Amino acid sequence: MGGVSIWDCIKCGLCNICPVFRAEKLESVSPRGRLILLKEIKKGSIKLDVRIVKDIYKCSVCGICSVVCPANLDLVKLWEEIREKLVERKIAPLPRHKKAGDITYRDFNPYGGDQQKRSEWLDFSVGKSKTLYFAGCTASFKSHNIAKSTAKALKNLGVEFTVLGPQEFCCGSPFLRTGQKDLARMLFKKNIRVWQKEGIEEIITSCPGCYKTIKEDYPKFAKETKIDFNIEVKHVSTVFSELMTKEGNLDLVATYHDPCHLGRHMGIYEEPRQVIRKAGVKLIEMERNRNFALCCGAGGGLRTQFKEIAIAIAEERIREALETGANLIITSCPFCEYNLSRVGGSRIKVLDLSEIAERTVSP
Amino acid sequence: MQEALHTALSKVCKVETHPGIMQIYRYDFLTIPKRLSRFIKNPICVVQPKNDEEVMKILEISERFNIPIIPRGSGTTGYGGCVPLKESIVVDMKHMSNYSFQNDSVVAESGAIWWEVEKSARKQGKSLRVYPSSATVSTVGGWIAQNGYGIGSLKYGSIGDNVEWLEVADFNGFKIVKGEKLKYYIGAFGTTGIIIRACLRLRENTGIRCESFQCSFEDAIKKIEGGYHANFKDGRYMQLENAGDRDTLLVTYEGEGESSELGKRLWEKRLYPLRALTADRIYSEAIVPYEKAVEFYRRTRGLSIGVEVVFARDSVIFLGLFGRGLKPYLKALKFVKIAEELGGSVYTTGLLFPHKNKFKRDFQDYKRKVDPNNLLNPKKGSFENAFSRIMKIGERFLWVV
């Protein structure tokens, strides 16, 4: 299993902090339980079957298990490698992950959105630039507010950027996380071809999933396929944090939800908080924050295949947010915003960081 | 018969029988060498009751089919307390996790997670007196069943010292256990009844002040007076944790006040234990009286590769780390033996040390009364098994180390 050995698990069970396990309460979905299953499969004492495959996929790949693991196992890497092997052996993907893959093979985004309308959210014109704002599929097709606010804020901050519209394709993150590496590789090739043609040197993403994929996984694909990859990749929270000099006076009291792919996976915790503070928002932390933050429940293909678990986890996060007394959650991920706002309903408002930045830097 | 058992249980609650999942429920934190794993049995099934009625029906079915039951919390004990030695029904209590507060106490169901209870207690201005370092994942019932020591034990003792009463279930129904009789349930690994709920004493949530010292064990033991919680790690243990190489003491006190930076850092890490443990290390724990603690520390230094100490109200808990292999196993056993020689004892019994139960005879007599068919977590707590016999054989060879 690559660089992570399942035999290094000491079975302490501290990973039972896993939000999926907390929702399901059956030990086959806890990281320790899954590792025991994998060991027993290796030993030949049990056979891999649909039930076990499903339990392996009952995980948002949030990475809290790795944070608490005394043996320092890189479990995120392990879960992704295992899923990849399951797909190679044609035991996976699960039906809804496969459906998302099939749609993406056809439409180049998992929502089945019309690629020609991919940048329909853009309400001003942009020229050619070496800096690309890569909105990602969720902001392009589901959460236009995020793409619009990001673009406006970047413009107001003096960033000259371009948008590729129909020539922007899914980055492949949902497929890397669910083991469908071939599809992710195909999307890498499509994107990189366009970026090379357009002379892109810098990419700014709204989505932490895109950020991780383009920053960490694309260089690996590039190496594999002997393509040069010299593009600087930034998450929009870093750009805002660097460029926002004006102090805002937004009269808001908010809590911040750390997206797993931005925080635990990529180590970006402080930049979004700096933006929030600069905006003049009173920030109240939830008890679980930064590397101990609770996942929103949506990632790693969890919401796609096991919506009820994703909702249960988001419900727990909403409860934590409400306990702070804030009436607003700010996050920095379109997928977290999507899941939390749907579960939170009228109880608490959910905004993306870009919406805060836009309000702060608007002339 | 298994089909009939399954049918009967299915009428009560969800029954899990997947062979892979049964493999998971064979284990807890205890690492069992491959050669000895043949003594462990797969559970017949796992059930997850949601209320008292379901627990009672499961007990009735266990009795009717003469199949043992193994109560299980989070499976985070390292003593094999919920490892099945007979084909059994594992009763996973995690779905019974409610709790409510009454003045200075909390009544918590067996499957409640310690840290969840603590977080809620804080909202009432209260706090648990003691909780395990695994509080983020371990259950109320599980820790009581092994009578653990943990955070707060310096002032308040073991969890057993802080139980007002327990509600337990056995084949005769439910009962509230108080006072003297609690000794038959606390640290008994569910061998005399399933812990359903516990009434635990709370303290005022006064805040915590943290101090730390880089000092020897001999000095550390003099610095803990008046503390709420104190633990010591020797330099070797600190090194294994990648936390430096100095002998380090953390002492915390109830009440507000200025904390030292290192003290705060160590206190914040209290819920992330076992950082020195890896797959090629084992640990052994022993309880030693205060007056013999320094002697124990000196005598065992050559045995272990690192030591962590938790200071409790009436005794000192030592955790020694050892490598893997026969000699380190013998060293781990010698660690306990030296504690016994100095008037101390093994930390708890479980699967490994039932022969060391101090109240063995009394306990066995009580067990026969409440569980005449020996169906409640058999071969644990005070009754010997293949593992404890192997431990006893090992104890004869301690001269080797």
Side-chain angles (χ1 to χ4, degrees):
Chain A
M1 294 292 173
V4 191
S5 169
I6 54 175
W7 308 101
D8 285 341
C9 170
I10 58 170
K11 296 199 288 90
C12 64
L14 290 174
C15 54
N16 282 354
I17 200 165
C18 164
V20 178
F21 171 67
R22 283 296 167 85
E24 292 275 281
K25 295 187 169 144
L26 190 68
E27 294 193 28
S28 53
V29 300
S30 76
R32 175 177 70 173
R34 284 199 295 266
L35 286 165
I36 292 173
L37 286 173
L38 293 167
K39 286 181 197 174
E40 296 301 329
I41 290 165
K42 279 235 169 192
K43 285 194 248 170
S45 56
I46 54 165
K47 282 185 184 157
L48 186 62
D49 61 14
V50 178
R51 171 66 191 276
I52 294 176
V53 172
K54 271 192 175 180
D55 283 351
I56 288 171
Y57 274 92
K58 282 183 180 175
C59 163
S60 66
V61 205
C62 77
I64 188 75
C65 49
S66 281
V67 172
V68 298
C69 176
N72 288 319
L73 299 184
D74 186 352
L75 292 166
V76 169
K77 189 175 172 201
L78 181 71
W79 307 138
E80 289 184 5
E81 284 174 0
I82 288 161
R83 290 172 176 200
E84 202 185 311
K85 283 194 191 325
L86 292 175
V87 172
E88 274 171 23
R89 289 172 63 178
K90 303 201 186 306
I91 313 166
L94 297 180
R96 288 185 186 166
H97 297 149
K98 185 178 181 306
K99 192 178 170 194
D102 291 344
I103 292 170
T104 306
Y105 268 115
R106 188 187 69 207
D107 297 327
F108 305 113
N109 67 77
Y111 298 116
D114 180 351
Q115 276 291 108
Q116 295 307 314
K117 296 179 180 172
R118 190 161 180 126
S119 58
E120 221 175 32
W121 52 268
L122 189 64
D123 39 21
F124 57 89
S125 62
V126 291
K128 264 185 91 72
S129 171
K130 288 178 180 174
T131 298
L132 166 67
Y133 168 48
F134 188 93
C137 301
T138 305
S140 295
F141 294 109
K142 291 271 181 188
S143 310
H144 283 182
N145 52 319
I146 295 174
K148 275 176 194 274
S149 292
T150 306
K152 278 183 195 161
L154 289 174
K155 188 182 172 195
N156 289 333
L157 287 166
V159 180
E160 281 187 21
F161 63 91
T162 190
V163 169
L164 292 174
Q167 292 300 298
E168 176 184 304
F169 309 102
C170 171
C171 68
S173 173
F175 309 107
L176 278 170
R177 312 303 151 223
T178 54
Q180 303 178 76
K181 202 171 180 180
D182 285 348
L183 174 53
R185 193 181 288 110
M186 184 274 273
L187 293 163
F188 156 75
K189 285 179 184 166
K190 281 192 79 67
N191 277 314
I192 195 81
R193 213 172 289 145
V194 179
W195 298 344
Q196 283 178 336
K197 194 176 136 212
E198 297 294 326
I200 300 299
E201 291 177 0
E202 181 186 51
I203 294 175
I204 298 168
T205 75
S206 277
C207 171
C210 301
Y211 174 60
K212 177 180 170 162
T213 301
I214 301 171
K215 193 172 174 75
E216 283 201 336
D217 298 300
Y218 274 25
K220 291 179 201 157
F221 281 141
K223 201 175 167 190
E224 209 179 281
T225 47
K226 295 185 177 130
I227 295 172
D228 281 340
F229 188 86
N230 296 314
I231 299 172
E232 192 175 351
V233 189
K234 286 181 175 173
H235 185 256
V236 74
S237 58
T238 312
V239 179
F240 290 152
S241 149
E242 283 167 2
L243 299 179
M244 270 172 62
T245 48
K246 190 178 142 190
E247 296 286 324
N249 56 0
L250 300 183
D251 187 21
L252 297 168
V253 180
T255 189
Y256 176 68
H257 167 75
D258 287 280
C260 304
H261 281 89
L262 191 63
R264 271 190 292 270
H265 291 212
M266 300 302 285
I268 297 182
Y269 298 111
E270 297 313 316
E271 290 86 340
R273 288 176 169 80
Q274 284 160 8
V275 174
I276 291 167
R277 289 197 189 97
K278 275 183 195 171
V281 176
K282 187 183 174 197
L283 177 64
I284 309 173
E285 295 285 0
M286 284 184 261
E287 187 183 314
R288 288 187 273 186
N289 60 66
R290 295 182 172 81
N291 58 334
F292 292 108
L294 175 65
C295 173
C296 79
L302 192 69
R303 189 184 158 95
T304 312
Q305 183 68 41
F306 303 103
K307 198 172 172 182
E308 66 295 344
I309 301 176
I311 290 171
I313 296 170
E315 187 60 51
E316 173 74 5
R317 193 57 168 163
I318 294 290
R319 194 182 57 73
E320 277 188 19
L322 288 168
E323 277 175 7
T324 65
N327 53 13
L328 169 66
I329 300 173
I330 300 170
T331 187
S332 202
C333 168
F335 216 37
C336 294
E337 190 256 6
Y338 184 81
N339 200 35
L340 291 173
S341 60
R342 264 135 199 90
V343 174
S346 58
R347 289 175 294 168
I348 193 160
K349 198 170 169 57
V350 185
L351 289 177
D352 186 77
L353 188 74
S354 58
E355 296 171 281
I356 297 295
E358 188 211 346
R359 288 184 204 183
T360 311
V361 299
S362 288
Chain B
M1 188 186 71
Q2 286 201 5
E3 209 177 303
L5 177 74
H6 186 271
T7 308
L9 287 168
S10 299
K11 288 177 189 162
V12 179
C13 58
K14 192 173 167 250
V15 184
E16 192 58 69
T17 57
H18 187 283
I21 296 172
M22 295 309 103
Q23 291 282 341
I24 298 170
Y25 281 87
R26 282 179 72 163
Y27 296 105
D28 60 14
F29 182 18
L30 177 67
T31 299
I32 292 166
K34 203 175 164 186
R35 280 184 200 162
L36 302 183
S37 63
R38 64 196 170 95
F39 295 114
I40 303 171
K41 297 281 184 269
N42 273 3
I44 297 170
C45 59
V46 176
V47 290
Q48 295 186 306
K50 289 192 170 75
N51 53 48
D52 293 9
E53 196 189 344
E54 290 182 3
V55 173
M56 195 39 66
K57 283 183 179 161
I58 292 163
L59 280 161
E60 279 166 22
I61 292 166
S62 156
E63 195 174 31
R64 186 173 2 129
F65 286 85
N66 201 34
I67 299 286
I69 55 174
I70 315 276
R72 183 177 174 105
S74 275
T76 48
T77 168
Y79 287 84
C82 47
V83 170
L85 295 174
K86 287 183 167 185
E87 289 192 331
S88 319
I89 303 161
V90 169
V91 184
D92 180 343
M93 298 299 286
K94 284 188 276 287
H95 280 275
M96 290 184 68
S97 56
N98 294 322
Y99 47 84
S100 59
F101 295 91
Q102 313 167 338
N103 300 324
D104 292 331
S105 59
V106 57
V107 176
E109 285 184 341
S110 193
I113 301 289
W114 284 102
W115 195 245
E116 301 297 325
V117 180
E118 171 66 2
K119 283 195 291 186
S120 298
R122 287 180 184 187
K123 286 177 200 155
Q124 323 271 329
K126 303 283 179 185
S127 187
L128 288 164
R129 290 178 166 195
V130 286
Y131 51 85
S133 58
S134 59
T136 55
V137 292
S138 56
T139 62
V140 165
W143 202 45
I144 294 173
Q146 77 153 19
N147 194 17
Y149 288 84
I151 315 299
S153 284
L154 177 58
K155 179 160 183 187
Y156 295 105
S158 72
I159 182 58
D161 296 326
N162 294 284
V163 173
E164 192 85 42
W165 51 259
L166 291 177
E167 186 173 359
V168 298
D170 61 24
F171 302 103
N172 295 314
F174 294 94
K175 59 186 168 203
I176 299 285
V177 182
K178 284 181 181 177
E180 186 64 13
K181 279 203 165 176
L182 283 170
K183 72 178 181 196
Y184 296 121
Y185 296 89
I186 294 168
F189 287 89
T191 54
T192 46
I194 303 175
I195 297 171
I196 301 297
R197 46 187 69 81
C199 178
L200 306 165
R201 293 176 203 118
L202 300 171
R203 64 181 183 89
E204 294 301 314
N205 184 19
T206 51
I208 292 291
R209 182 169 65 83
C210 317
E211 285 293 340
S212 72
F213 303 92
Q214 292 186 317
C215 62
S216 67
F217 180 74
E218 288 81 353
D219 285 340
I221 205 163
K222 294 173 196 156
K223 290 181 188 289
I224 57 173
E225 209 181 317
Y228 159 69
H229 170 73
N231 86 327
F232 171 87
K233 291 173 183 175
D234 75 1
R236 300 170 307 157
Y237 194 98
M238 293 292 283
Q239 257 184 327
L240 295 172
E241 279 194 334
N242 290 321
D245 59 359
R246 305 275 300 272
D247 290 356
T248 305
L249 169 71
L250 164 73
V251 195
T252 67
Y253 304 88
E254 287 176 324
E256 301 294 339
E258 188 82 0
S259 292
S260 72
E261 270 311 305
L262 179 61
K264 256 196 294 188
R265 261 206 328 270
L266 294 170
W267 175 247
E268 278 161 14
K269 285 183 181 170
R270 72 195 182 283
L271 298 178
Y272 304 97
L274 308 170
R275 291 274 153 186
L277 203 58
T278 58
D280 54 5
R281 291 177 196 143
I282 58 163
Y283 69 90
S284 180
E285 290 170 298
I287 302 177
V288 179
Y290 266 98
E291 60 276 18
K292 297 288 183 183
V294 171
E295 188 181 342
F296 178 81
Y297 181 76
R298 287 178 182 159
R299 280 181 64 184
T300 56
R301 254 188 91 75
L303 289 175
S304 68
I305 56 170
V307 174
E308 181 178 8
V309 179
V310 172
F311 294 98
R313 192 166 59 187
D314 305 317
S315 51
V316 185
I317 320 302
F318 286 86
L319 180 147
L321 279 181
F322 304 87
R324 271 280 154 93
L326 187 59
K327 268 200 168 181
Y329 272 100
L330 291 176
K331 285 179 179 178
L333 279 179
K334 194 164 182 176
F335 195 76
V336 174
K337 192 73 187 170
I338 293 172
E340 288 173 333
E341 283 169 17
L342 296 173
S345 65
V346 67
Y347 181 66
T348 189
T349 59
L351 170 79
L352 300 180
F353 299 109
H355 56 293
K356 292 186 183 292
N357 189 328
K358 282 187 200 161
F359 312 104
K360 200 164 131 188
R361 194 60 58 79
D362 184 20
F363 197 89
Q364 287 176 347
D365 289 345
Y366 186 79
K367 160 103 173 158
R368 283 187 194 104
K369 270 189 232 160
V370 293
D371 179 23
N373 300 320
N374 193 20
L375 293 173
L376 294 166
N377 205 2
K379 300 186 177 186
K380 310 269 178 63
S382 63
F383 289 87
E384 294 206 23
N385 59 61
F387 289 88
S388 62
R389 280 190 282 273
I390 289 165
M391 291 291 161
K392 278 168 85 175
I393 293 168
E395 283 164 15
R396 286 189 213 149
F397 293 93
L398 298 184
W399 54 270
V400 175
V401 292

